[in-house]
Amino acid sequence: MECENYISKIKQLEKENRILQKKLERSEIDRAKLENTNRNKESLLKQVICGLQEYQVILEKKSDDLETTLKDLSLTQHQLVEVKKMAALGALVAGVAHEINTPVGTSITLASTLADATHSLLKLVASGNLKKSSLSRYLEIASEVSSLILSNLRRAGELVHSFKQVAVDQSSSEKRDFKVKEYIEEVILSISPQLKYSLCKVFITGNDLTHIYSYPGALAQVITNLVNNSITHAYLPNKTGDINIDIQQNGEQVIIQYSDDGIGIDQQIFDRIFEPFFTTAREKGGTGLGLHITYNLVTQKLQGSIKCESEVNKGTIFILTLPSSITS
């Protein structure tokens, strides 16, 4: 009986041993699988880390490339602004030179007429044949010619004064205190040759005493760009137009409202007018930089803001809000 019990226990132990052996085998298999999985995970992790490192190197390079590109774009923008400024200055020089030529040429002709009349009078005096009628005629000529010479030379003097001030301001970056309306009048006078051929008239209204401590050259370029923009885009060929510039003081701000009565801006392109190189008049020589430079000058150099309002066939308004004094 005891033998049978031992045999039964041995069988039971053998059975349990087989079960444990199978469990051990499964555990070994699971352990091997786990080790293999861990190795795969470790390998995958290394690949991910290597990939991330490669991406980091690529991103750093792209970041450096982007920074270089931004610097190049900034330099290019600065150069374009300078080119535009010098082109405007060159056009200003050519226009003023042409405009001054008229009163100066007229004055030379009048002076020659007066010299001839004076020479004739001297001959009569020397011969003793001077008559009262001859003297009266000479005095009439001298009076009329002197008045015309003075008027023409004053006109030339005004152009030279305006050109000198505006040209100096546009070629320098100095701040100074100046009366806004008076200075804008000088700017408009300096570009009057361009206006003459455009059939546009400019009317300047507002407070004569409003002054500002800012960059006059930047403001001159803004006004010039706005006028050129109106001439190029707002009016059809051979169409007359009125441009109005109003200056008002509002506390510590100066409000300059520029408006024309041209064809206005189509709403489909309205949101793009300040974009660089965007123009609807490339066939007329438009570069698409005028309003872009204007926006940058107003918002950065003059530390103000510019807003545009327009309606097709009812004209366009630009509202410039500038601080009455800038600190940098």
Side-chain angles (χ1 to χ4, degrees):
M1 188 69 178
E2 288 182 3
C3 182
E4 290 178 0
N5 288 337
Y6 282 126
I7 292 172
S8 177
K9 285 182 179 180
I10 289 171
K11 288 182 179 180
Q12 181 67 30
L13 288 173
E14 287 177 347
K15 182 179 179 181
E16 289 178 358
N17 186 51
R18 286 195 298 272
I19 292 172
L20 288 174
Q21 188 67 31
K22 288 181 180 180
K23 286 183 178 181
L24 181 61
E25 289 174 356
R26 284 198 296 268
S27 296
E28 285 295 324
I29 293 171
D30 291 340
R31 184 183 63 80
K33 287 182 179 179
L34 183 60
E35 286 179 354
N36 186 53
T37 301
N38 287 338
R39 282 195 298 271
N40 290 338
K41 286 182 178 179
E42 185 177 350
S43 175
L44 183 61
L45 183 59
K46 287 180 179 179
Q47 291 178 10
V48 170
I49 291 172
C50 289
L52 288 174
Q53 289 174 340
E54 289 177 2
Y55 283 131
Q56 184 178 4
V57 171
I58 293 171
L59 287 173
E60 287 176 353
K61 186 178 183 305
K62 287 187 178 294
S63 178
D64 291 340
D65 292 343
L66 181 59
E67 187 176 351
T68 302
T69 301
L70 287 174
K71 287 180 180 178
D72 291 342
L73 285 174
S74 179
L75 179 61
T76 302
Q77 184 185 39
H78 178 73
Q79 291 173 340
L80 287 171
V81 170
E82 290 301 313
V83 168
K84 186 75 174 178
K85 183 191 296 183
M86 296 311 296
L89 194 56
L92 180 63
V93 171
V96 170
H98 176 76
E99 192 73 6
I100 289 176
N101 186 57
T102 301
V104 170
T106 302
S107 297
I108 292 172
T109 302
L110 291 169
S112 177
T113 301
L114 182 59
D116 290 342
T118 302
H119 183 68
S120 298
L121 180 67
L122 290 173
K123 286 176 64 176
L124 289 173
V125 171
S127 65
N129 294 325
L130 180 63
K131 296 179 181 179
K132 184 178 180 180
S133 59
S134 299
L135 180 61
S136 296
R137 186 166 61 255
Y138 171 78
L139 291 174
E140 288 176 4
I141 293 172
S143 177
E144 182 179 357
V145 168
S146 297
S147 177
L148 289 172
I149 289 174
L150 184 61
S151 174
N152 278 277
L153 291 180
R154 278 177 177 166
R155 169 66 177 167
E158 289 173 357
L159 284 168
V160 169
H161 172 76
S162 297
F163 165 71
K164 180 181 177 182
Q165 185 62 69
V166 174
V168 168
D169 286 334
Q170 286 198 9
S171 61
S172 70
S173 57
E174 296 296 321
K175 292 179 291 185
R176 64 181 176 88
D177 189 272
F178 58 95
K179 291 181 179 178
V180 181
K181 184 182 176 186
E182 181 181 289
Y183 186 71
I184 291 179
E185 287 172 346
E186 290 185 349
V187 173
I188 296 302
L189 182 61
S190 70
I191 61 174
S192 57
Q194 297 166 253
L195 290 167
K196 180 186 296 183
Y197 297 109
S198 71
L199 304 179
C200 291
K201 294 182 180 179
V202 179
F203 302 92
I204 304 171
T205 58
N207 192 333
D208 293 328
L209 301 179
T210 296
H211 65 94
I212 189 172
Y213 181 72
S214 189
Y215 294 97
L219 180 59
Q221 193 173 358
V222 166
I223 297 299
T224 301
N225 287 352
L226 290 176
V227 172
N228 286 336
N229 186 70
S230 291
I231 292 173
T232 304
H233 299 281
Y235 300 103
L236 298 174
N238 301 318
K239 291 293 184 180
T240 60
D242 291 342
I243 295 173
N244 293 280
I245 304 174
D246 183 66
I247 300 100
Q248 298 295 334
Q249 183 89 31
N250 183 15
E252 295 299 316
Q253 294 180 325
V254 174
I255 312 297
I256 301 174
Q257 180 168 297
Y258 175 98
S259 61
D260 65 49
D261 57 354
I263 61 174
I265 303 172
D266 193 314
Q267 291 301 308
Q268 292 184 343
I269 64 170
F270 182 81
D271 293 335
R272 302 185 62 192
I273 60 173
F274 292 122
E275 290 182 9
F277 304 109
F278 175 76
T279 179
T280 58
R282 203 169 298 280
E283 72 283 354
K284 298 180 184 178
T287 62
L289 288 173
L291 286 182
H292 175 64
I293 291 173
T294 297
Y295 180 85
N296 285 340
L297 286 172
V298 172
T299 58
Q300 297 177 25
K301 192 76 172 178
L302 299 175
Q303 299 177 18
S305 64
I306 180 170
K307 181 175 68 172
C308 180
E309 300 172 359
S310 186
E311 191 173 343
V312 175
N313 296 325
K314 291 189 178 180
T316 301
I317 299 173
F318 289 94
I319 301 172
L320 283 65
T321 303
L322 308 176
S324 58
S325 178
I326 60 177
T327 56
S328 61

